């Protein structure tokens, strides 16, 4: 497992953010900056079911293998592939810019599960 350093990661500063972001390594050695209550931007022309995955590990592996991928976004999910399918909650996103905003605690829409994993190092 790679060693990831928080001191080398970009540091977002969101008003009311209770805890510092976490940096962790996955089994493949990539380092991820985990952010709560944010939304990473969609690439141009990305459709709701494009690059969607049902599991975080699967989405992270796909992101690491895609040179244009900057992170993984979890939202409330989209049912891709038919009504009997579980929602695909994880979507690849482009760019590695930190979001400029965050939902402040208590102001996030009820039931919203947004969380982002920004790819810090491959």
């Amino acid at each position: 497992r790679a060693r990831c350093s928080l001191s080398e990661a970009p540091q977002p500063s969101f008003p009311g953010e209770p805890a510092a972001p976490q940096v962790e390594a996955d089994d493949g050695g990539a380092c991820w900056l985990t952010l709560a209550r944010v939304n990473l931007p969609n690439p141009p022309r990305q459709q709701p079911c494009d690059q969607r995955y049902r599991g975080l590990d699967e989405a992270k592996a796909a992101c690491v293998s895609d040179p244009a991928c900057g992170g993984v976004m979890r939202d409330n999910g989209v049912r891709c592939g038919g009504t009997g399918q579980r929602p695909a909650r994880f979507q690849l996103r482009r760019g590695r810019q930190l979001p400029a905003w965050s939902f402040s605690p208590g102001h996030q829409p009820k039931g919203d599960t947004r969380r982002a994993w920004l790819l810090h190092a491959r």
Side-chain angles (χ1 to χ4, degrees):
R1 213 172 237 240
R3 296 183 62 90
C4 300
S5 170
L6 186 59
S7 64
E8 296 170 4
Q11 294 295 304
S13 58
F14 301 129
E17 184 68 37
Q22 297 176 331
V23 175
E24 57 188 34
D26 64 18
D27 290 336
C31 296
W32 300 88
L33 180 67
T34 303
L35 303 166
R37 300 189 313 269
V38 299
N39 189 31
L40 297 178
N42 294 68
R45 297 178 297 283
Q46 186 178 44
Q47 299 298 311
C49 285
D50 289 352
Q51 296 180 304
R52 283 264 178 192
Y53 299 89
R54 288 182 178 77
L56 177 58
D57 290 340
E58 181 185 15
K60 283 181 171 181
C63 186
V64 169
S65 67
D66 180 349
C69 185
V72 175
M73 182 73 210
R74 181 184 75 194
D75 55 25
N76 289 338
V78 176
R79 292 188 190 277
C80 301
T83 56
Q85 298 289 325
R86 290 181 317 156
R89 298 186 190 280
F90 301 94
Q91 188 173 38
L92 305 190
R93 300 293 173 94
R94 300 284 184 243
R96 290 203 179 101
Q97 297 81 20
L98 287 173
W101 61 274
S102 168
F103 288 110
S104 59
H107 292 92
Q108 187 170 2
K110 186 176 181 176
D112 193 332
T113 62
R114 274 179 248 235
R115 182 170 293 271
W117 291 265
L118 197 65
L119 183 56
H120 171 52
R122 293 180 199 264

